[in-house]
Amino acid sequence: YEGFTVVQLRDLLAKYPQYAADLVYKLEKDHQKVTEFTEKYVPAKDWERKNMAIQLLHRAQSELGFMTATDRASIDDILKLHKESGSILRIAKAKVQENWSAILTWSAWVVWIGFGG
């Protein structure tokens, strides 16, 4: 495996917004700007996300030297970027979203027990 090409990385960013958000954080270093970006990015249509991802990759290439035309991004590069950009709040939000059904189930059980069920 030689790594992701620019087109493959664009498709990855379009399909998984959390990685696009990581790149925005790397560029901006501001969680509020990441939130603003995500609010526009997530509801966008697939072709709009791909266009936004290309713009993001161009900006990352010019400002960070990330992914020049001949480079390939490895999975380790993407995971490193993801780890560097995580805040406690973003990580907590992701965990809550992943486990939402369990949280609702346990909350309902606690309320039921609380009312003497």
Side-chain angles (χ1 to χ4, degrees):
Y1 175 71
E2 297 176 13
F4 292 100
T5 64
V6 174
V7 173
Q8 291 169 329
L9 191 55
R10 177 207 63 188
D11 292 343
L12 179 87
L13 295 177
K15 185 164 177 81
Y16 301 102
Q18 66 267 29
Y19 296 115
D22 294 339
L23 200 51
V24 170
Y25 181 76
K26 186 78 170 177
L27 290 163
E28 300 289 347
K29 299 288 187 210
D30 182 356
H31 290 291
Q32 180 60 36
K33 291 192 179 194
V34 173
T35 301
E36 291 169 7
F37 171 81
T38 305
E39 288 172 354
K40 293 179 201 167
Y41 195 75
V42 169
K45 292 179 171 62
D46 186 55
W47 64 269
E48 292 172 319
R49 278 191 191 183
K50 286 181 179 180
N51 287 339
M52 292 169 78
I54 286 294
Q55 292 171 0
L56 193 58
L57 287 169
H58 279 293
R59 187 168 167 217
Q61 193 276 324
S62 66
E63 293 179 26
L64 304 172
F66 181 77
M67 285 291 295
T68 60
T70 58
D71 285 344
R72 290 182 175 258
S74 70
I75 292 173
D76 289 337
D77 295 337
I78 294 167
L79 291 176
K80 180 181 174 195
L81 181 66
H82 189 64
K83 189 177 248 184
E84 289 173 354
S85 67
S87 72
I88 292 173
L89 185 59
R90 282 183 65 205
I91 293 168
K93 182 179 175 184
K95 293 295 180 190
V96 167
Q97 288 174 339
E98 288 173 15
N99 299 302
W100 187 243
S101 61
I103 291 168
L104 285 178
T105 302
W106 280 102
S107 298
W109 183 78
V110 167
V111 169
W112 182 63
I113 295 297
F115 284 122

